[in-house]
Amino acid sequence: MLLQDLAFGGTQRQALELAARLDRSRFAPEFWMLTDVRDFAPKAELAGIPLVWLSPYPKVGVLGLAALWKRLAAERPDILMPLTAVPNIWGRVFGRLRGITAVIGTCRGGGAIKRQHERFLKGLAAHHIVNAEPLAKALVKMGRPQDKITCIANGVDTDHFLPPPDELRPVREVVLCPARFCEDKDHETLIRGFEYTVARRPRAELWLMGDGPLRTRVRTLAARSPVRGNIRTFPPAADPRPFFQQASAVVLSSVREGLPNVILEAMSMGIPVAATAVGGIPDVVEPERTGLLCPPRNPQALGENLARVLGDEALRRSFGETARQRAVERFSMETMVRRHEAVFERVLERGCEESGRCPEPRRGE
């Protein structure tokens, strides 16, 4: 698995959960990172996943790409699965040039197809894994065969993300937004929308938890907001459960999405969700049963949805209980992992047939 980094993020977390649970009698996962950002490294090491740092720098550069080129020749992985935009670009180009047939492209965010130049690079992948049906449809629309795309929803560890006991349920009106500070998440709409929330719920608090390229801009918007006294910012956390436990609602104001992990984690913990109806979110959040949806870039609708959830305890409990049930029934880690394993085996088998080269059995097999 080729990643840009092991920073706190949804894709990194899902990669870690997947690699930790793969059947070790059939698969030997490794993480190769193009940059030296190690937030999740301790957890990966605890899971016994070998980590390869291709560069000592925090940003992708020539050194990391050169190291990737050399390592692909020296190691020749049986399967190469790049994750996020930069790895999907260079991993596929270098992988194909090195003759690795089992290259699996991934699209996990609403802007991934454009950022990864799928229109030009889609044919370099033997197969695509996406986490939301709109991404699959977009790939098909640009000519990718349907049989070379598999949609696998993110998984959530429902034994880890548990609802808090009644005595620990939140007593403050906290709205939590655990989201990367980037254009896709559209924090500006959220901050503007929260003004409508405070107008109806003066005690409401907005907690922004994240980091990213727009960190300074988001914090400036929060500091200049008329309701700035009700807004707090926090860095991302390896374990977000303490933040979830204090939240009466979780919010996302995204303009583009795949299938956000934070929504599944919130649902697993029995927290209602208010979000925008983009990407794979409508496939997860069921309006009036597990949360509320609104169009993107509509501050008033988002803010009023938040005020409604905060102002009705019975509604919050009903949404939360149904959300927990839905997470357990439809988004288990076990299902996510087994489906990935099936794709890996199918792509590897097809690659063996095409190239005549099959992986050597590993020790103990």
Side-chain angles (χ1 to χ4, degrees):
M1 298 182 189
L2 177 65
L3 298 107
Q4 182 162 323
D5 53 49
L6 280 184
F8 292 138
T11 294
Q12 292 87 338
R13 187 184 296 275
Q14 282 288 304
L16 182 56
E17 298 286 4
L18 170 61
R21 289 171 169 78
L22 286 175
D23 182 352
R24 291 301 199 276
S25 70
R26 294 182 288 162
F27 302 100
E30 293 185 6
F31 283 174
W32 296 2
M33 275 65 63
L34 290 171
T35 66
D36 191 2
V37 181
R38 305 187 177 218
D39 294 346
F40 274 130
K43 191 171 182 179
E45 290 168 349
L46 192 63
I49 303 167
L51 306 180
V52 176
W53 306 95
L54 298 170
S55 166
Y57 301 109
K59 293 186 178 181
V60 178
V62 173
L63 185 64
L65 295 176
L68 173 62
W69 175 250
K70 292 177 181 177
R71 193 165 190 91
L72 286 170
E75 297 291 329
R76 292 193 63 81
D78 303 313
I79 299 171
L80 177 66
M81 185 169 75
L83 295 139
T84 69
V86 175
N88 263 286
I89 294 169
W90 292 105
R92 279 186 277 182
V93 172
F94 286 179
R96 278 297 184 171
L97 288 173
R98 286 300 194 189
I100 299 171
T101 56
V103 178
I104 299 176
T106 59
C107 293
R108 300 183 54 81
I113 288 179
K114 181 178 180 180
R115 284 194 290 263
Q116 296 172 188
H117 306 294
E118 293 294 347
R119 186 170 301 279
F120 308 104
L121 300 181
K122 60 185 182 295
L124 296 183
H127 200 84
H128 271 82
I129 292 177
V130 302
N131 65 352
E133 283 296 340
L135 295 171
K137 292 177 181 177
L139 286 171
V140 170
K141 188 175 181 179
M142 62 177 57
R144 189 69 168 145
Q146 183 69 57
D147 64 351
K148 291 186 180 294
I149 306 170
T150 301
C151 182
I152 304 176
N154 292 354
V156 60
D157 187 343
T158 55
D159 293 328
H160 183 73
F161 289 95
L162 290 167
D166 284 344
E167 61 270 20
L168 294 181
R169 286 188 176 274
V171 295
R172 295 156 64 183
E173 297 182 12
V174 172
V175 176
L176 176 65
C177 178
R180 182 170 167 77
F181 296 151
C182 62
E183 289 185 7
D184 287 359
K185 304 302 182 180
D186 190 17
H187 286 81
E188 181 175 358
T189 289
L190 173 57
I191 291 170
R192 289 172 55 206
F194 188 63
E195 296 172 18
Y196 291 94
T197 305
V198 173
R200 292 175 54 183
R201 308 294 304 178
R203 296 177 59 243
E205 300 176 42
L206 175 60
W207 291 9
L208 305 175
M209 185 175 71
D211 202 349
L214 298 186
R215 176 179 55 186
T216 300
R217 173 172 170 76
V218 171
R219 290 182 175 178
T220 299
L221 288 170
R224 292 177 177 175
S225 169
V227 295
R228 55 187 172 273
N230 299 59
I231 302 175
R232 300 176 65 184
T233 60
F234 300 88
D239 185 356
R241 289 178 300 172
F243 288 89
F244 281 122
Q245 288 171 352
Q246 298 184 66
S248 294
V250 166
V251 63
L252 279 186
S253 51
S254 307
V255 293
R256 288 176 292 274
E257 274 294 355
L259 197 164
N261 292 322
V262 295
I263 284 184
L264 296 180
E265 292 163 359
M267 290 173 60
S268 183
M269 292 189 69
I271 306 169
V273 173
T276 47
V278 299
I281 293 177
D283 296 330
V284 181
V285 179
E286 188 174 354
E288 301 297 338
R289 296 200 69 229
T290 66
L292 299 173
L293 298 179
C294 69
R297 302 192 194 281
N298 190 327
Q300 183 173 353
L302 183 63
E304 291 179 351
N305 279 349
L306 286 172
R308 180 184 168 199
V309 171
L310 293 178
D312 190 333
E313 183 178 356
L315 185 72
R316 287 200 308 275
R317 281 188 172 268
S318 174
F319 282 1
E321 290 169 1
T322 306
R324 167 69 184 176
Q325 180 182 358
R326 187 175 175 88
V328 171
E329 291 176 353
R330 294 190 53 182
F331 300 102
S332 73
M333 280 293 181
E334 185 69 17
T335 297
M336 183 271 288
V337 174
R338 299 291 87 84
R339 293 197 65 199
H340 273 89
E341 289 179 339
V343 172
F344 294 161
E345 290 185 331
R346 188 165 70 248
V347 171
L348 188 58
E349 181 180 355
R350 188 180 302 164
C352 289
E353 294 172 353
E354 293 176 358
S355 67
R357 173 188 172 270
C358 291
E360 295 293 329
R362 300 184 185 273
R363 183 179 302 174
E365 294 182 356

